Amino acid sequence: MKQLRIMSVFGTRPEAIKMCPLVRELASRPGIESLCCVTAQHRQMLDAVLEVFSLRPDWDLDIMTPRQTLSGITSKCLLGMDEAIDTLKPDMILVHGDTSTTFAGALSAYYHQVAVGHVEAGLRTYDKYAPFPEEMNRVLTSGIADMHFCPTAGNRENLIREGRTENLFVTGNTVIDALKTTVREDYRFSTEELNLLPYGKKKVILVTCHRRENYGEPMKNIMLALRQIAEERQDVELVYPVHLSPVVREAVDTYLRGAPRVHLIEPLPADEMHNLLARCYLVLTDSGGLQEEAPALGKPVLVLRRETERPEAVTAGTVKLAGVVQDDIVTMAERLICDKDAYEKMARAVNPYGDGNACRRIADAIEWRYGLRPERPADYEA
Ligand code: UD1
Ligand code: UDP
């Protein structure tokens, strides 16, 4: 019997972390041929993830250039995808989340009249410029998708409110599947500096920052806030794996480099990052993925943004919006550093984002849609 050809398309670090476990799960199904096409919107940061998950793509568009523009990414993805689809002839294309690769991958599938499954569907802020351009990427991708894999029931509700009522599946987030394979109590870092950090003795604060809408004034404020925290508090160590974006690096070099107790390091492989997350005291970040991972590990998160599309963790109490004003960030961080009760209230391990079986549910749903499985998979309930 002819196997169903499912082609996963991704290009950035977070998409790769969240899609590699799914590519593997699909490959384990006898009725499915699991193909993987990377756009390499991120080159080094993507390759680092592929290495951790030992995955070799079937197709590589290799589009990344320094300081790439949104139009540049989108147009290169579209042109490159033509040949990938014509050659690999998938029955369905899976895209993930809300990057430019996501939208261009879905649009390209549509131009070729190939079905689209959207993994991590239904996240919304309802502000089209925050996050930018992710909010519009995910709205447009929802418009194209034939199957919507929602991490949470709230994400499904968002799609229903928009009039999309068919083919919605609540699966949990595949990032929890990934986390289950990477975090180990006896983990030894290959980055020696991380083995030497004074976990337990001092408060190790994990920092990341990269969002486009934070470029300029907000990023400057964030860097100055980090500097102030590090200068004022001898009981903290800040660890910051700096994103490879030159815009981010310039802000770090201008406003943060040289501050005491700040460890500026290169981006970490996913397994190193997840284990550092498991050991740190607190997370300051504008990352989407970290807002999902940290609650599962009982680490409070202050989000360096004005909004979040991940309200579940805010409701659960482990994530708070700190905004992008220097004083606000410093005040909120200092409270969590000094006030044990405030810290303990946030540091409860809650996990609204999945039970580690999201990939199984997604693969089951695809099999069901194509008649390879009699029953629709049950929705994930938090
Ligand atoms: C992209 C996504 C964003 C996601 C983020 C995850 C878009 C528009 N943005 O943003 O949604 O949250 O990835 O990190 O899709 N670079 C390298 N090597 C790498 C990766 C990046 O040198 O491995 C540099 C390049 O100069 C590149 C720049 O970073 O031009 C920006 O990369 P880009 O993918 O355009 O934007 P991100 O801010 O990474
Ligand atoms: N991450 C990583 N190495 C790092 C920083 C982050 O592996 O140096 C992981 C992090 O644990 C999470 C994902 O990358 O799984 C988040 O990616 P990012 O913050 O770049 O993008 P976003 O989630 O905001 O789209």
Side-chain angles (χ1 to χ4, degrees):
M1 204 180 80
K2 181 183 168 293
Q3 280 183 311
L4 193 62
R5 293 170 83 92
I6 306 294
M7 182 164 91
S8 299
V9 176
F10 51 88
T12 65
R13 169 173 67 193
E15 294 168 86
I17 292 172
K18 292 167 167 181
M19 287 298 273
C20 281
L22 181 57
V23 173
R24 290 224 163 286
E25 176 67 32
L26 292 167
S28 76
R29 307 288 172 117
I32 292 179
E33 184 180 0
S34 177
L35 300 168
C36 169
C37 167
V38 296
T39 64
Q41 175 181 334
H42 285 172
R43 183 72 274 172
Q44 300 88 338
M45 283 158 49
L46 170 77
D47 291 346
V49 181
L50 295 174
E51 197 180 320
V52 168
F53 289 94
S54 310
L55 196 82
R56 280 210 19 208
D58 299 282
W59 202 272
D60 191 332
L61 269 48
D62 196 22
I63 66 156
M64 194 195 87
T65 51
R67 292 179 190 268
Q68 57 204 2
T69 63
L70 298 178
S71 316
I73 303 169
T74 307
S75 51
K76 280 186 175 179
C77 282
L78 278 176
L79 290 172
M81 286 290 297
D82 277 347
E83 200 188 340
I85 295 176
D86 285 340
T87 309
L88 297 176
K89 297 191 178 19
D91 297 298
M92 175 177 250
I93 283 180
L94 298 180
V95 293
H96 180 280
D98 53 20
T99 71
S100 294
T101 288
T102 314
F103 170 55
L107 184 60
S108 181
Y110 171 68
Y111 286 164
H112 289 262
Q113 300 189 24
V114 175
V116 174
H118 187 197
V119 182
E120 199 178 270
L123 280 69
R124 296 288 187 268
T125 61
Y126 298 105
D127 177 342
K128 77 184 204 187
Y129 290 110
F132 170 81
E134 291 82 6
E135 179 72 3
M136 203 40 64
N137 283 340
R138 54 198 177 210
V139 169
L140 295 170
T141 303
S142 292
I144 295 172
D146 301 280
M147 297 182 83
H148 310 263
F149 305 110
C150 306
T152 69
N155 302 146
R156 178 183 54 194
E157 288 312 307
N158 290 342
L159 293 177
I160 292 172
R161 264 200 306 278
E162 293 168 15
R164 301 181 208 288
T165 52
E166 302 283 308
N167 294 310
L168 311 181
F169 303 84
V170 184
T171 60
N173 197 307
T174 59
V175 80
I176 304 297
D177 300 32
L179 211 52
K180 279 196 162 177
T181 67
T182 50
V183 175
R184 288 200 313 271
E185 233 169 77
D186 61 349
Y187 188 85
R188 208 177 148 74
F189 296 101
S190 55
T191 314
E192 192 51 23
E193 192 173 358
L194 300 180
N195 290 319
L196 301 175
L197 286 171
Y199 309 100
K201 295 198 194 85
K202 278 187 160 195
K203 287 161 182 155
V204 174
I205 303 181
L206 177 55
V207 178
T208 78
C209 182
H210 73 272
R211 301 228 80 82
R212 265 172 208 259
E213 74 269 19
N214 278 341
Y215 284 4
E217 199 61 22
M219 204 166 275
K220 174 182 172 187
N221 297 343
I222 290 168
M223 297 304 151
L224 291 177
L226 297 171
R227 174 175 274 277
Q228 190 179 339
I229 295 164
E231 281 174 348
E232 288 177 359
R233 308 271 345 167
Q234 303 214 354
D235 52 347
V236 305
E237 296 286 331
L238 268 61
V239 188
Y240 180 173
V242 185
H243 191 287
L244 292 178
S245 160
V247 182
V248 174
R249 296 202 152 213
E250 267 161 29
V252 168
D253 287 345
T254 311
Y255 302 110
L256 186 58
R257 192 172 291 284
R261 296 174 280 280
V262 174
H263 305 255
L264 299 173
I265 57 176
E266 292 302 306
L268 291 169
D271 52 345
E272 299 262 304
M273 183 66 177
H274 289 170
N275 283 283
L276 179 58
L277 185 58
R279 286 186 206 178
C280 75
Y281 176 81
L282 168 68
V283 181
L284 303 185
T285 188
D286 66 359
S287 162
L290 281 168
Q291 291 177 60
E292 295 152 347
E293 293 164 346
L297 297 167
K299 304 300 171 179
V301 181
L302 294 181
V303 179
L304 308 171
R305 293 167 56 178
R306 294 193 190 88
E307 38 44 52
T308 180
E309 58 290 271
R310 292 164 169 92
E312 299 85 358
V314 177
T315 306
T318 40
V319 168
K320 278 199 170 110
L321 277 180
V324 291
V325 173
Q326 183 178 343
D327 284 351
D328 296 347
I329 297 169
V330 172
T331 307
M332 290 180 76
E334 288 200 332
R335 179 138 194 258
L336 290 174
I337 294 164
C338 303
D339 182 339
K340 202 162 178 290
D341 286 347
Y343 179 83
E344 291 300 334
K345 264 195 196 141
M346 284 184 79
R348 277 165 303 162
V350 292
N351 182 356
Y353 294 113
D355 56 1
N357 294 310
C359 296
R360 180 179 58 69
R361 290 191 188 90
I362 294 168
D364 285 355
I366 293 170
E367 288 185 339
W368 174 71
R369 180 185 199 262
Y370 286 95
L372 299 175
R373 171 175 296 273
E375 279 170 22
R376 192 187 204 278
D379 280 337
Y380 162 67
E381 282 176 49

